[in-house]
Amino acid sequence: MAKPSTKPSNQQSRVTLTSQSSAYFQHHKLMALDSLKRLLAQPGSSLMTWLVLAIALSLPMTLYVSLENVKQLSRNWDQTSQISVYLKKGVLERFANEMTQEIATWPNVSSAAYIGPDQALKEFSASTGLSDVIFGLADNPLPGVISVIPRLANQDENTLEQLQIKLQEQRHVESVQLDLMWVKRLYQFMELGQRLVWALAALLGLAVLLIIGNTIRLSIESRRDEIRVVKLVGGTDAFVRRPFLYTGLWFGLGGGLIAWILLSAGLYWLSGPVEQLISLYGSEFTLQGLGFVDSLLLIFDGVVLGWLGAWLAVSRHLSRIEP
């Protein structure tokens, strides 16, 4: 006796699965569009919510962009971290030049220049105005000096201290002078700024969750009767939760986009005066705005916070509504 064929049942199950998937995605599409239409139907209240969210999202990003610009500006301050390497008296100029060329090839050194005793004496005479007294000396008291400019990018004061020790260990070196106090202050300021960014982002992220959660709670209360009817005809919590999650997502997306617009407009407005001010100090600094990745991150954070705030609000209040 032949066994019954299972092909029709398998084909039927695949058709059923395909139709269910199509219905599932179709419902998501309908809920997304319906929630967006509900927000646009109340432009005043929706715009106010979007603006509040945009301000909360843009504040930590503004501090982050400011910190990145300070870091960029600090890369032009290498000249102020000059290390003076004083050579022993009597060192031949040939040895001093060889040492200068070798130091200039070190990875932590931006440049190195040798200043001979005669040149140092002329510069000291010109800066002090004591030329008559200095040229009356029988012997030049000034030693040869190698001026070393370290690379400050992605380095800290410990790296500069190690460079100072390495210079001190070189042959023909009498002493090395380096003022690390301003470098330590700079990096402490950077560390403080980074921590402020994270703290402000956490606090305002919590504020975004609370704002969206309260907005979704009011939306749930206004649609309480509708939710009861849906549950009465067999609608699951996931089915009822879906439009509110999309509402939170639209709030977060709109807040992120408006925050990006506000921040970009503010940076463009400030770029002219800032660049003119910096140019007075002889610097070619250009105000750095939001990059592509930072822009996407700002909008993505808004979407995630909007969805999460809606999910928390719906999970808390939806279970209290029963048919």
Side-chain angles (χ1 to χ4, degrees):
M1 182 177 180
K3 294 182 179 180
S5 176
T6 59
K7 291 183 179 180
S9 60
N10 291 338
Q11 184 176 3
Q12 184 179 3
S13 63
R14 287 196 296 269
V15 172
T16 303
L17 181 61
T18 302
S19 61
Q20 289 177 351
S21 300
S22 177
Y24 177 79
F25 288 111
Q26 185 66 20
H27 185 259
H28 271 275
K29 179 181 178 180
L30 291 175
M31 290 298 99
L33 293 176
D34 180 71
S35 59
L36 180 59
K37 290 179 180 178
R38 288 177 182 268
L39 293 180
L40 297 179
Q42 300 175 344
S45 59
S46 299
L47 182 60
M48 290 180 61
T49 304
W50 275 324
L51 288 175
V52 172
L53 295 176
I55 294 173
L57 290 171
S58 62
L59 286 177
M61 187 59 71
T62 301
L63 185 58
Y64 168 77
V65 172
S66 301
L67 187 61
E68 290 297 316
N69 279 280
V70 171
K71 289 181 180 179
Q72 180 187 356
L73 184 61
S74 68
R75 298 188 183 103
N76 300 325
W77 295 345
D78 290 1
Q79 297 293 331
T80 60
S81 61
Q82 174 179 307
I83 303 176
S84 298
V85 181
Y86 296 97
L87 304 180
K88 295 179 180 178
K89 194 170 183 178
V91 176
L92 296 179
E93 185 175 353
R94 177 170 62 88
F95 295 140
N97 288 326
E98 291 177 355
M99 181 183 299
T100 302
Q101 295 175 2
E102 179 186 355
I103 293 174
T105 61
W106 292 358
N108 294 335
V109 174
S110 177
S111 64
Y114 172 65
I115 303 174
D118 295 337
Q119 182 181 355
L121 186 63
K122 291 180 181 179
E123 293 180 357
F124 181 76
S125 173
S127 61
T128 58
L130 301 176
S131 56
D132 295 337
V133 176
I134 292 175
F135 286 109
L137 298 175
D139 190 15
N140 186 352
L142 299 180
V145 180
I146 299 177
S147 176
V148 178
I149 307 298
R151 298 183 188 273
L152 290 183
N154 300 323
Q155 297 186 22
D156 54 17
E157 63 271 16
N158 294 328
T159 305
L160 294 181
E161 288 178 350
Q162 293 174 4
L163 178 60
Q164 181 183 11
I165 294 174
K166 186 176 181 180
L167 290 170
Q168 185 67 57
E169 294 173 349
Q170 298 299 307
R171 186 183 177 187
H172 306 309
V173 173
E174 181 68 28
S175 63
V176 178
Q177 183 178 358
L178 169 64
D179 183 12
L180 284 174
M181 184 57 64
W182 80 270
V183 180
K184 293 180 179 179
R185 291 172 179 171
L186 174 63
Y187 282 100
Q188 288 298 322
F189 174 77
M190 297 294 185
E191 179 67 21
L192 177 62
Q194 290 177 352
R195 297 194 179 190
L196 286 176
V197 168
W198 286 109
L200 187 61
L203 290 175
L204 293 176
L206 179 60
V208 170
L209 291 178
L210 295 176
I211 293 170
I212 293 181
N214 185 65
T215 304
I216 297 300
R217 181 185 66 82
L218 295 176
S219 180
I220 292 174
E221 292 296 329
S222 65
R223 300 172 62 180
R224 177 181 290 267
D225 295 336
E226 179 183 344
I227 294 172
R228 285 176 176 172
V229 172
V230 172
K231 284 191 172 184
L232 188 61
V233 297
T236 62
D237 286 344
F239 183 88
V240 178
R241 186 188 301 119
R242 199 164 295 155
F244 298 105
L245 293 181
Y246 275 110
T247 300
L249 187 146
W250 289 123
F251 272 130
L253 178 61
L257 289 174
I258 296 176
W260 178 81
I261 294 173
L262 292 176
L263 190 54
S264 299
L267 290 172
Y268 178 78
W269 182 57
L270 292 175
S271 60
V274 170
E275 292 176 5
Q276 291 179 5
L277 176 63
I278 295 298
S279 65
L280 297 177
Y281 293 90
S283 176
E284 298 180 355
F285 170 79
T286 302
L287 190 64
Q288 179 181 351
L290 281 176
F292 179 74
V293 176
D294 293 333
S295 301
L296 288 181
L297 182 61
L298 174 61
I299 298 173
F300 178 76
D301 288 344
V303 171
V304 171
L305 290 173
W307 181 88
L308 184 59
W311 185 84
L312 292 174
V314 173
S315 300
R316 179 181 179 184
H317 299 286
L318 194 61
S319 58
R320 302 178 182 178
I321 303 177
E322 294 296 336

